[in-house]
Amino acid sequence: QVQLVESGGGLVQAGGSLRLSCSTSGGIISRYAMGWFRQAPGKDREFVAGINWTGGQLDYIDSVKGRFTISRDNAKNTAYLQMNSLKPEDTAVYYCAADIYNSRLRTTPNYWGQGTQVTVSS
């Protein structure tokens, strides 16, 4: 009964910032690996960033390193994606994901949110 709900998406000018939140409930989500994916029009869904259950292991795709930061607050059952220096190519629907196995998070995670739209204007 794990539920993930994203928020924080919207329209922003290139160079601006957004912070996405993923609120969770209904299970032992505090011990799950969590991450963010995105899907742009006409493209496959891609992994963006991941974090293990303790917050001590972070992973990013090269295109967002230095601009995006993933974090989590287990006491609040919430994960975040801080996005700075946004570019038009970051435009996509962003999805929160979670899985009990860190090894499976980046490919076929068990739990997904419904997504939130991020649009970056040039």
PDB file of all heavy atoms in Angstrom, residues 56-78:
ATOM      1  N   GLY A  56      23.377   8.176   2.342  1.00  0.00           N
ATOM      2  CA  GLY A  56      24.816   8.247   2.212  1.00  0.00           C
ATOM      3  C   GLY A  56      25.363   7.894   0.844  1.00  0.00           C
ATOM      4  O   GLY A  56      26.563   8.055   0.613  1.00  0.00           O
ATOM      5  N   GLN A  57      24.529   7.399  -0.037  1.00  0.00           N
ATOM      6  CA  GLN A  57      24.953   7.015  -1.374  1.00  0.00           C
ATOM      7  C   GLN A  57      24.065   7.703  -2.399  1.00  0.00           C
ATOM      8  O   GLN A  57      22.859   7.464  -2.438  1.00  0.00           O
ATOM      9  CB  GLN A  57      24.889   5.497  -1.543  1.00  0.00           C
ATOM     10  CG  GLN A  57      25.362   4.994  -2.889  1.00  0.00           C
ATOM     11  CD  GLN A  57      25.355   3.480  -2.975  1.00  0.00           C
ATOM     12  OE1 GLN A  57      25.595   2.792  -1.974  1.00  0.00           O
ATOM     13  NE2 GLN A  57      25.071   2.948  -4.146  1.00  0.00           N
ATOM     14  N   LEU A  58      24.676   8.557  -3.214  1.00  0.00           N
ATOM     15  CA  LEU A  58      23.953   9.332  -4.213  1.00  0.00           C
ATOM     16  C   LEU A  58      24.439   8.977  -5.606  1.00  0.00           C
ATOM     17  O   LEU A  58      25.606   8.650  -5.796  1.00  0.00           O
ATOM     18  CB  LEU A  58      24.144  10.833  -3.979  1.00  0.00           C
ATOM     19  CG  LEU A  58      23.902  11.350  -2.557  1.00  0.00           C
ATOM     20  CD1 LEU A  58      24.226  12.835  -2.494  1.00  0.00           C
ATOM     21  CD2 LEU A  58      22.477  11.083  -2.120  1.00  0.00           C
ATOM     22  N   ASP A  59      23.549   9.080  -6.580  1.00  0.00           N
ATOM     23  CA  ASP A  59      23.902   8.769  -7.954  1.00  0.00           C
ATOM     24  C   ASP A  59      23.142   9.707  -8.879  1.00  0.00           C
ATOM     25  O   ASP A  59      21.942   9.925  -8.694  1.00  0.00           O
ATOM     26  CB  ASP A  59      23.562   7.312  -8.264  1.00  0.00           C
ATOM     27  CG  ASP A  59      24.138   6.833  -9.580  1.00  0.00           C
ATOM     28  OD1 ASP A  59      25.136   7.412 -10.053  1.00  0.00           O
ATOM     29  OD2 ASP A  59      23.599   5.863 -10.139  1.00  0.00           O
ATOM     30  N   TYR A  60      23.845  10.251  -9.892  1.00  0.00           N
ATOM     31  CA  TYR A  60      23.256  11.167 -10.847  1.00  0.00           C
ATOM     32  C   TYR A  60      23.717  10.824 -12.252  1.00  0.00           C
ATOM     33  O   TYR A  60      24.840  10.348 -12.451  1.00  0.00           O
ATOM     34  CB  TYR A  60      23.681  12.617 -10.583  1.00  0.00           C
ATOM     35  CG  TYR A  60      23.376  13.153  -9.208  1.00  0.00           C
ATOM     36  CD1 TYR A  60      24.305  13.052  -8.179  1.00  0.00           C
ATOM     37  CD2 TYR A  60      22.170  13.790  -8.951  1.00  0.00           C
ATOM     38  CE1 TYR A  60      24.031  13.563  -6.923  1.00  0.00           C
ATOM     39  CE2 TYR A  60      21.896  14.308  -7.697  1.00  0.00           C
ATOM     40  CZ  TYR A  60      22.832  14.189  -6.684  1.00  0.00           C
ATOM     41  OH  TYR A  60      22.555  14.714  -5.439  1.00  0.00           O
ATOM     42  N   ILE A  61      22.883  11.114 -13.227  1.00  0.00           N
ATOM     43  CA  ILE A  61      23.343  11.050 -14.602  1.00  0.00           C
ATOM     44  C   ILE A  61      24.215  12.274 -14.869  1.00  0.00           C
ATOM     45  O   ILE A  61      24.075  13.316 -14.227  1.00  0.00           O
ATOM     46  CB  ILE A  61      22.183  10.979 -15.605  1.00  0.00           C
ATOM     47  CG1 ILE A  61      21.216  12.165 -15.436  1.00  0.00           C
ATOM     48  CG2 ILE A  61      21.454   9.655 -15.466  1.00  0.00           C
ATOM     49  CD1 ILE A  61      20.146  12.227 -16.513  1.00  0.00           C
ATOM     50  N   ASP A  62      25.120  12.136 -15.839  1.00  0.00           N
ATOM     51  CA  ASP A  62      26.109  13.174 -16.077  1.00  0.00           C
ATOM     52  C   ASP A  62      25.488  14.533 -16.407  1.00  0.00           C
ATOM     53  O   ASP A  62      26.023  15.576 -16.010  1.00  0.00           O
ATOM     54  CB  ASP A  62      27.049  12.759 -17.209  1.00  0.00           C
ATOM     55  CG  ASP A  62      28.009  11.664 -16.799  1.00  0.00           C
ATOM     56  OD1 ASP A  62      28.189  11.441 -15.593  1.00  0.00           O
ATOM     57  OD2 ASP A  62      28.596  11.032 -17.701  1.00  0.00           O
ATOM     58  N   SER A  63      24.384  14.552 -17.110  1.00  0.00           N
ATOM     59  CA  SER A  63      23.806  15.801 -17.575  1.00  0.00           C
ATOM     60  C   SER A  63      23.260  16.688 -16.458  1.00  0.00           C
ATOM     61  O   SER A  63      23.031  17.877 -16.675  1.00  0.00           O
ATOM     62  CB  SER A  63      22.702  15.534 -18.604  1.00  0.00           C
ATOM     63  OG  SER A  63      21.647  14.785 -18.036  1.00  0.00           O
ATOM     64  N   VAL A  64      23.057  16.128 -15.264  1.00  0.00           N
ATOM     65  CA  VAL A  64      22.515  16.927 -14.170  1.00  0.00           C
ATOM     66  C   VAL A  64      23.498  17.117 -13.027  1.00  0.00           C
ATOM     67  O   VAL A  64      23.193  17.852 -12.074  1.00  0.00           O
ATOM     68  CB  VAL A  64      21.199  16.335 -13.621  1.00  0.00           C
ATOM     69  CG1 VAL A  64      20.204  16.109 -14.750  1.00  0.00           C
ATOM     70  CG2 VAL A  64      21.449  15.049 -12.851  1.00  0.00           C
ATOM     71  N   LYS A  65      24.664  16.503 -13.091  1.00  0.00           N
ATOM     72  CA  LYS A  65      25.653  16.648 -12.030  1.00  0.00           C
ATOM     73  C   LYS A  65      26.063  18.107 -11.874  1.00  0.00           C
ATOM     74  O   LYS A  65      26.329  18.795 -12.851  1.00  0.00           O
ATOM     75  CB  LYS A  65      26.882  15.787 -12.316  1.00  0.00           C
ATOM     76  CG  LYS A  65      26.649  14.301 -12.145  1.00  0.00           C
ATOM     77  CD  LYS A  65      27.920  13.504 -12.429  1.00  0.00           C
ATOM     78  CE  LYS A  65      27.681  12.020 -12.227  1.00  0.00           C
ATOM     79  NZ  LYS A  65      28.884  11.218 -12.550  1.00  0.00           N
ATOM     80  N   GLY A  66      26.100  18.565 -10.640  1.00  0.00           N
ATOM     81  CA  GLY A  66      26.435  19.949 -10.354  1.00  0.00           C
ATOM     82  C   GLY A  66      25.257  20.889 -10.400  1.00  0.00           C
ATOM     83  O   GLY A  66      25.375  22.040  -9.962  1.00  0.00           O
ATOM     84  N   ARG A  67      24.122  20.432 -10.924  1.00  0.00           N
ATOM     85  CA  ARG A  67      22.928  21.266 -11.011  1.00  0.00           C
ATOM     86  C   ARG A  67      21.782  20.738 -10.149  1.00  0.00           C
ATOM     87  O   ARG A  67      21.036  21.520  -9.557  1.00  0.00           O
ATOM     88  CB  ARG A  67      22.449  21.364 -12.457  1.00  0.00           C
ATOM     89  CG  ARG A  67      23.467  21.985 -13.406  1.00  0.00           C
ATOM     90  CD  ARG A  67      22.865  22.262 -14.775  1.00  0.00           C
ATOM     91  NE  ARG A  67      22.393  21.041 -15.434  1.00  0.00           N
ATOM     92  CZ  ARG A  67      21.132  20.820 -15.798  1.00  0.00           C
ATOM     93  NH1 ARG A  67      20.207  21.750 -15.576  1.00  0.00           N
ATOM     94  NH2 ARG A  67      20.799  19.688 -16.399  1.00  0.00           N
ATOM     95  N   PHE A  68      21.630  19.423 -10.094  1.00  0.00           N
ATOM     96  CA  PHE A  68      20.552  18.801  -9.327  1.00  0.00           C
ATOM     97  C   PHE A  68      21.111  18.175  -8.049  1.00  0.00           C
ATOM     98  O   PHE A  68      22.236  17.663  -8.030  1.00  0.00           O
ATOM     99  CB  PHE A  68      19.869  17.700 -10.135  1.00  0.00           C
ATOM    100  CG  PHE A  68      19.060  18.174 -11.312  1.00  0.00           C
ATOM    101  CD1 PHE A  68      19.108  19.480 -11.765  1.00  0.00           C
ATOM    102  CD2 PHE A  68      18.235  17.279 -11.975  1.00  0.00           C
ATOM    103  CE1 PHE A  68      18.371  19.911 -12.854  1.00  0.00           C
ATOM    104  CE2 PHE A  68      17.482  17.686 -13.069  1.00  0.00           C
ATOM    105  CZ  PHE A  68      17.549  18.999 -13.505  1.00  0.00           C
ATOM    106  N   THR A  69      20.302  18.178  -7.000  1.00  0.00           N
ATOM    107  CA  THR A  69      20.669  17.541  -5.749  1.00  0.00           C
ATOM    108  C   THR A  69      19.488  16.733  -5.230  1.00  0.00           C
ATOM    109  O   THR A  69      18.398  17.279  -5.039  1.00  0.00           O
ATOM    110  CB  THR A  69      21.079  18.567  -4.681  1.00  0.00           C
ATOM    111  OG1 THR A  69      22.169  19.355  -5.165  1.00  0.00           O
ATOM    112  CG2 THR A  69      21.508  17.851  -3.406  1.00  0.00           C
ATOM    113  N   ILE A  70      19.707  15.443  -5.006  1.00  0.00           N
ATOM    114  CA  ILE A  70      18.679  14.601  -4.417  1.00  0.00           C
ATOM    115  C   ILE A  70      18.939  14.489  -2.920  1.00  0.00           C
ATOM    116  O   ILE A  70      20.085  14.409  -2.478  1.00  0.00           O
ATOM    117  CB  ILE A  70      18.631  13.209  -5.081  1.00  0.00           C
ATOM    118  CG1 ILE A  70      17.426  12.409  -4.573  1.00  0.00           C
ATOM    119  CG2 ILE A  70      19.927  12.435  -4.877  1.00  0.00           C
ATOM    120  CD1 ILE A  70      17.165  11.120  -5.342  1.00  0.00           C
ATOM    121  N   SER A  71      17.877  14.495  -2.141  1.00  0.00           N
ATOM    122  CA  SER A  71      17.996  14.363  -0.700  1.00  0.00           C
ATOM    123  C   SER A  71      16.744  13.687  -0.158  1.00  0.00           C
ATOM    124  O   SER A  71      15.772  13.491  -0.881  1.00  0.00           O
ATOM    125  CB  SER A  71      18.210  15.727  -0.031  1.00  0.00           C
ATOM    126  OG  SER A  71      17.109  16.587  -0.269  1.00  0.00           O
ATOM    127  N   ARG A  72      16.788  13.331   1.116  1.00  0.00           N
ATOM    128  CA  ARG A  72      15.615  12.724   1.728  1.00  0.00           C
ATOM    129  C   ARG A  72      15.563  13.072   3.201  1.00  0.00           C
ATOM    130  O   ARG A  72      16.589  13.317   3.842  1.00  0.00           O
ATOM    131  CB  ARG A  72      15.619  11.202   1.538  1.00  0.00           C
ATOM    132  CG  ARG A  72      16.745  10.466   2.259  1.00  0.00           C
ATOM    133  CD  ARG A  72      16.831   9.006   1.812  1.00  0.00           C
ATOM    134  NE  ARG A  72      15.608   8.276   2.106  1.00  0.00           N
ATOM    135  CZ  ARG A  72      15.254   7.123   1.534  1.00  0.00           C
ATOM    136  NH1 ARG A  72      16.046   6.584   0.604  1.00  0.00           N
ATOM    137  NH2 ARG A  72      14.121   6.526   1.874  1.00  0.00           N
ATOM    138  N   ASP A  73      14.364  13.086   3.728  1.00  0.00           N
ATOM    139  CA  ASP A  73      14.122  13.300   5.140  1.00  0.00           C
ATOM    140  C   ASP A  73      13.256  12.140   5.599  1.00  0.00           C
ATOM    141  O   ASP A  73      12.041  12.147   5.415  1.00  0.00           O
ATOM    142  CB  ASP A  73      13.435  14.643   5.387  1.00  0.00           C
ATOM    143  CG  ASP A  73      13.296  14.970   6.860  1.00  0.00           C
ATOM    144  OD1 ASP A  73      13.351  14.057   7.701  1.00  0.00           O
ATOM    145  OD2 ASP A  73      13.131  16.165   7.186  1.00  0.00           O
ATOM    146  N   ASN A  74      13.891  11.128   6.167  1.00  0.00           N
ATOM    147  CA  ASN A  74      13.162   9.923   6.535  1.00  0.00           C
ATOM    148  C   ASN A  74      12.139  10.169   7.643  1.00  0.00           C
ATOM    149  O   ASN A  74      11.114   9.487   7.705  1.00  0.00           O
ATOM    150  CB  ASN A  74      14.136   8.820   6.956  1.00  0.00           C
ATOM    151  CG  ASN A  74      14.880   8.229   5.784  1.00  0.00           C
ATOM    152  OD1 ASN A  74      14.520   8.443   4.627  1.00  0.00           O
ATOM    153  ND2 ASN A  74      15.935   7.474   6.072  1.00  0.00           N
ATOM    154  N   ALA A  75      12.409  11.133   8.505  1.00  0.00           N
ATOM    155  CA  ALA A  75      11.450  11.462   9.554  1.00  0.00           C
ATOM    156  C   ALA A  75      10.149  11.997   8.973  1.00  0.00           C
ATOM    157  O   ALA A  75       9.083  11.836   9.574  1.00  0.00           O
ATOM    158  CB  ALA A  75      12.048  12.475  10.526  1.00  0.00           C
ATOM    159  N   LYS A  76      10.231  12.634   7.807  1.00  0.00           N
ATOM    160  CA  LYS A  76       9.056  13.177   7.134  1.00  0.00           C
ATOM    161  C   LYS A  76       8.569  12.292   5.993  1.00  0.00           C
ATOM    162  O   LYS A  76       7.605  12.642   5.313  1.00  0.00           O
ATOM    163  CB  LYS A  76       9.347  14.574   6.602  1.00  0.00           C
ATOM    164  CG  LYS A  76       9.665  15.594   7.679  1.00  0.00           C
ATOM    165  CD  LYS A  76       9.918  16.967   7.077  1.00  0.00           C
ATOM    166  CE  LYS A  76      10.195  17.995   8.159  1.00  0.00           C
ATOM    167  NZ  LYS A  76      10.460  19.342   7.587  1.00  0.00           N
ATOM    168  N   ASN A  77       9.248  11.160   5.773  1.00  0.00           N
ATOM    169  CA  ASN A  77       8.895  10.240   4.693  1.00  0.00           C
ATOM    170  C   ASN A  77       8.835  10.954   3.341  1.00  0.00           C
ATOM    171  O   ASN A  77       7.921  10.722   2.544  1.00  0.00           O
ATOM    172  CB  ASN A  77       7.564   9.549   4.988  1.00  0.00           C
ATOM    173  CG  ASN A  77       7.583   8.757   6.275  1.00  0.00           C
ATOM    174  OD1 ASN A  77       6.828   9.031   7.200  1.00  0.00           O
ATOM    175  ND2 ASN A  77       8.459   7.760   6.347  1.00  0.00           N
ATOM    176  N   THR A  78       9.817  11.796   3.093  1.00  0.00           N
ATOM    177  CA  THR A  78       9.804  12.639   1.908  1.00  0.00           C
ATOM    178  C   THR A  78      11.170  12.659   1.239  1.00  0.00           C
ATOM    179  O   THR A  78      12.197  12.719   1.916  1.00  0.00           O
ATOM    180  CB  THR A  78       9.390  14.079   2.268  1.00  0.00           C
ATOM    181  OG1 THR A  78       8.096  14.057   2.888  1.00  0.00           O
ATOM    182  CG2 THR A  78       9.321  14.954   1.033  1.00  0.00           C
TER     183      THR A  78
END
